Amino acid sequence: MTATTTGPILVTGCSSGIGLATADLLVKAGHIVYATARRPETLAALETAGAHTMALDVTSEESMEAAVKGIEAEHERVGVLVNNAGYGEYGTVEETDLDKVRTMFETNVFGLARLTQLVLPGMRAARAGRIVNIGSMGGRITFPVGGYYHATKYAVEAITDALRNEVRPFGISVSLVEPGLIRTGFEEVALTSAAATPDGDSPYAALLAASAASTSGGYANPALATGPERVASTILKAVESRHPRSRYVVTPAARALITARTVGGDRVWDAIVRQQFKH
């Protein structure tokens, strides 16, 4: 596909990280890009680069409807939806505040699902369209202290697999991008989650400290982590490829971990986890 045939591209979560890098690369590739974020003032650089910018809160029905209707008023349909908005609320299963977990699900899962519902009628009418969901290697592997975040990404895996086969007859393709460790500031948000902060009174204090050390070390290791530009280039492939793949795993380390989990089973995976989270 070319920039003239994809139609306008709606990207969520563009204030920083993967969303910012993706919107910028898509603009440079000649696409019509609608870069969105909850706080549109964070999108000034993308607007200067040539993107259309607008406020979009994926936890607000009114905000999502307004964004999609605005694009459809200009272009009849959203050509490509890149569901990128998301974050991590970390902590042990026992100690994490479930209200905060519900809020994370609203962003990572229900916002993605609802925005998809809103763009599909236009795509079906045109018998063309693409949806690119940004998942994670964390949708196929699970580390302690990240169980609820992983659950949101496992949900994205299931939704994407179902959707891909539901909309194929309408000429719509669906791809899932599964990044490994990407230096975006994600880890800072995750590590400062209230339930992820080591507390001497917590029965999990040693585990939380080991998790913080392992996470920080992983993101600081150039052999394990990379920048958001790597993910952006993968998303560009998913958008422009004549025959997009159903899944794109980003980083060799992510592929290795997914393979270890799939091939090795629980015994091998638990041994990896015990080694990595010694406490």
Side-chain angles (χ1 to χ4, degrees), residues 67-214:
V68 173
K69 287 178 180 177
I71 295 171
E72 289 180 341
E74 292 287 329
H75 304 278
E76 295 187 354
R77 68 184 176 99
V78 173
V80 180
L81 171 62
V82 179
N83 278 311
N84 168 70
Y87 69 99
E89 184 68 43
Y90 271 48
T92 64
V93 171
E94 179 180 351
E95 294 183 321
T96 304
D97 183 339
L98 289 181
D99 283 339
K100 292 183 177 179
V101 173
R102 292 184 183 96
T103 300
M104 178 174 59
F105 266 84
E106 285 291 342
T107 297
N108 294 10
V109 180
F110 302 127
L112 173 150
R114 182 55 181 146
L115 202 52
T116 298
Q117 290 180 333
L118 290 170
V119 303
L120 278 174
M123 290 182 177
R124 283 192 295 99
R127 300 196 70 80
R130 295 199 176 188
I131 295 172
V132 181
N133 289 335
I134 311 307
S136 168
M137 70 173 181
R140 291 207 265 172
I141 62 175
T142 304
F143 289 117
V145 187
Y148 291 118
Y149 168 73
H150 286 280
T152 67
K153 293 305 182 179
Y154 271 77
V156 170
E157 293 268 339
I159 290 168
T160 303
D161 278 345
L163 181 66
R164 185 176 64 253
N165 289 293
E166 290 169 356
V167 300
R168 183 181 290 115
F170 303 106
I172 302 166
S173 69
V174 180
S175 296
L176 179 65
V177 176
E178 300 170 313
L181 298 183
I182 309 298
R183 291 186 292 271
T184 62
F186 170 90
E187 68 277 15
E188 296 172 7
V189 174
L191 289 174
T192 55
S193 300
T197 304
D199 182 341
D201 294 331
S202 169
Y204 302 100
L207 171 62
L208 293 172
S211 173
S214 175

Side-chain angles (χ1 to χ4, degrees), residues 14-39:
C14 294
S15 61
S16 62
I18 292 171
L20 172 60
T22 297
D24 184 61
L25 184 60
L26 289 169
V27 168
K28 289 175 179 174
H31 293 280
I32 300 170
V33 177
Y34 284 80
T36 69
R38 286 185 299 115
R39 294 181 292 114

